[in-house]
Amino acid sequence: MSALRENWRIVLLVIFVVLSGVALFAPTGSADDGGQAGTADTGPTNLKYGLELSGGTRIRAPLVGMTAEDVDVTPDNDREVEIAVANQLNISRTDVRATPQTRTVEVFTENVTQAQFAQALQAAGLSASEENIRDGVTDETRQTAVSVLTEKINRIGLSGGSVQQVQTTQETFILIEVPNQNRTEVLNLIGDRGKVEIVAEFPTDANGTTEYRQVSMLTQGDFAEIGAPQAGQGNQPSYVPVTLTDEAAQNFSQGMQNFGFTSQQGVQSCRYSDTPDDPGYCLHTVVDGEIVYSASMSTGLAGTIANGDFVKDPGFRMTTTNASDARALQVNLQAGALPTSLDIEGEGTTYFLEPALASEFKLFSLITGIIAVLAVAGMTYLRYGEAKIAAPMVVTALSEVVILLGFAAAVNLALDLSHIAGLIAVIGTGVDDLVIIADEISQSGVTTSRVFRDRFRKAFWVIGAAAVTTIIAMSPLAVLSLGDLQGFAIITIVGVLIGVLVTRPAYGDVLRNLMDID
């Protein structure tokens, strides 16, 4: 028992190594990655790999929009402000959001200047100038965008995809990572806002002439249930079965009757594909302002609306041109619409890495690690010429790597090249510290525990000061989202902490035992 107390630092190191082994190799009970950001299959270990070691697509872009702050928006005037600003700027009302809680008004379009926005706010009765307006959207809007994009990626079944906000010193971006998917597939999924509407178009009489009117009948919030997309069979098109909320069903039923869709001339009379200027009575499926499908009012649906059965069972089919569009329609309906679009063409960047090339990076990283270990072992042996000093040094350095990998597996950290670089840097700085300890203790005159403690304390002060300096230097990189530098900084800081708190003290105890110091 006394031996364990005297060598508790070695015991602590062994415990950490064992726990890391469990984290690395113990079955997790799940075949997937638990939704971890940007990861892919891991092989025999529980390690997760990011895009640079597994391949895939990364998109980084800000959200389009600008925000007026400190304006007098209240719950009593927010709707009126949205309508007035939209009309003044000649944009859709969905491109304007007034939020009383934060006293902000946002516009989600690139075609408006700050001066025009300020004039629109003044026209809406608000006291505002260009000084109140900044580029970018609010945090609430970004959170909504992250939620919608995450839902889209999960709904489409892209395993391991992730969406998060990343902050630079000047701007906040949305970062999307999807392993094993090419750039086109990901852009098709997230490139559009996904705003879905059912719009009724029908003829009206205006002073003896026929004019067409379009009315938005249903939006994403009007659907209570959205079924699985169904592929077309024979002459039947693909479709998505949907059910409306009670309130939406009542409004839709009333509108269809008032606009003549359930009348004799309104049933089966959509000819939009042949004569778009004279379409008849059509129900358009509109995604992001573009008509993707036009359908007639069917005889059966018209009958149920006319006799009142529709409001009791408000289910119907939203038809599309093909199975792929039906799938996209279902995802948009379930995930909802993005509050604004991503500025991919402007400040955005896209990155795609072939999975085969990523596998080569993984192999090269392993080879680099092995070479680093062999180089360290050779140099330490040449330095001391004694295996009892050099061998524990190499073993301690490897233990540090094992603990770091165990940490990465335990927290589901997706390893990328930046993390591998951090691991190699940790090996280098760790061996530097072990050399300092070995130099102090291997000097002549270290024959008693008291002298050993003095020499070890002296070496540890140097190591501790260097560790604090490294942590302070790396902290800004770990906090700010500076791309790959963040992963490098996180691994370096964790490695330094593990070294100072666990592995370096254990190495000192190992040397004391090997050198028979009483």
Side-chain angles (χ1 to χ4, degrees), residues 225-266:
E225 292 183 14
I226 298 157
Q230 304 295 319
Q233 301 291 333
N235 295 327
Q236 297 299 316
S238 300
Y239 66 91
V240 178
V242 296
T243 302
L244 302 181
T245 63
D246 292 341
E247 182 181 0
Q250 189 67 46
N251 294 336
F252 182 74
S253 177
Q254 191 66 45
M256 289 297 94
Q257 294 179 76
N258 292 342
F259 300 148
F261 277 80
T262 57
S263 65
Q264 185 174 4
Q265 66 270 28

Side-chain angles (χ1 to χ4, degrees), residues 68-290:
E69 298 176 316
D70 298 327
V71 290
D72 295 327
V73 179
T74 67
D76 296 328
N77 70 357
D78 56 345
R79 299 303 99 179
E80 288 76 9
V81 167
E82 289 178 351
I83 294 172
V85 171
N87 291 337
Q88 184 70 21
L89 297 175
N90 194 27
I91 59 178
S92 169
R93 184 184 168 186
T94 57
D95 286 331
V96 182
R97 174 185 288 174
T99 309
Q101 291 78 9
T102 55
R103 300 182 66 211
T104 57
V105 178
E106 298 167 275
V107 294
F108 307 125
T109 178
E110 295 176 317
N111 302 320
V112 174
T113 66
Q114 290 189 355
Q116 292 171 329
F117 189 14
Q119 291 173 2
L121 291 169
Q122 293 164 7
L126 300 179
S127 176
S129 66
E130 292 186 53
E131 295 179 354
N132 297 97
I133 299 172
R134 63 170 175 82
D135 289 331
V137 298
T138 62
D139 185 60
E140 180 186 19
T141 298
R142 286 193 295 270
Q143 291 286 357
T144 302
V146 168
S147 299
V148 171
L149 290 169
T150 301
E151 185 73 10
K152 281 189 174 185
I153 289 175
N154 291 337
R155 291 286 180 186
I156 208 71
L158 300 181
S159 176
S162 70
V163 184
Q164 59 183 312
Q165 296 185 48
V166 292
Q167 178 74 50
T168 67
T169 54
Q170 296 182 340
E171 195 166 5
T172 301
F173 292 80
I174 303 297
L175 178 67
I176 302 136
E177 294 186 342
V178 186
N180 299 318
Q181 297 294 322
N182 65 45
R183 195 191 329 254
T184 302
E185 291 172 324
V186 178
L187 287 176
N188 286 340
L189 176 64
I190 58 94
D192 298 323
R193 293 175 64 176
K195 182 175 180 292
V196 179
E197 289 180 288
I198 298 296
V199 176
E201 184 170 17
F202 51 93
T204 59
D205 182 66
N207 300 323
T209 62
T210 299
E211 294 183 355
Y212 276 92
R213 181 184 174 197
Q214 291 188 349
V215 177
S216 177
M217 301 300 300
L218 300 170
T219 60
Q220 274 128 329
D222 295 323
F223 297 97
E225 292 183 14
I226 298 157
Q230 304 295 319
Q233 301 291 333
N235 295 327
Q236 297 299 316
S238 300
Y239 66 91
V240 178
V242 296
T243 302
L244 302 181
T245 63
D246 292 341
E247 182 181 0
Q250 189 67 46
N251 294 336
F252 182 74
S253 177
Q254 191 66 45
M256 289 297 94
Q257 294 179 76
N258 292 342
F259 300 148
F261 277 80
T262 57
S263 65
Q264 185 174 4
Q265 66 270 28
V267 175
Q268 299 289 7
S269 62
C270 179
R271 48 185 181 273
Y272 181 80
S273 59
D274 298 326
T275 56
D277 294 333
D278 183 22
Y281 290 80
C282 292
L283 289 170
H284 301 304
T285 300
V286 180
V287 179
D288 293 331
E290 180 181 354

Side-chain angles (χ1 to χ4, degrees), residues 374-387 390:
L374 293 176
V376 167
M379 290 303 297
T380 52
Y381 185 77
L382 290 175
R383 172 74 174 82
Y384 297 101
E386 294 186 62

Side-chain angles (χ1 to χ4, degrees), residues 282-346:
C282 292
L283 289 170
H284 301 304
T285 300
V286 180
V287 179
D288 293 331
E290 180 181 354
I291 296 174
V292 298
Y293 196 85
S294 297
S296 296
M297 171 64 71
S298 68
T299 303
L301 181 59
T304 60
I305 290 175
N307 63 25
D309 289 341
F310 179 76
V311 294
K312 301 175 184 176
D313 182 18
F316 66 99
R317 297 176 175 180
M318 293 182 67
T319 49
T320 62
T321 52
N322 53 54
S324 177
D325 287 347
R327 178 63 172 151
L329 179 63
Q330 182 214 22
V331 170
N332 285 329
L333 287 172
Q334 290 178 325
L338 280 171
T340 182
S341 56
L342 288 160
D343 186 16
I344 297 173
E345 299 297 328

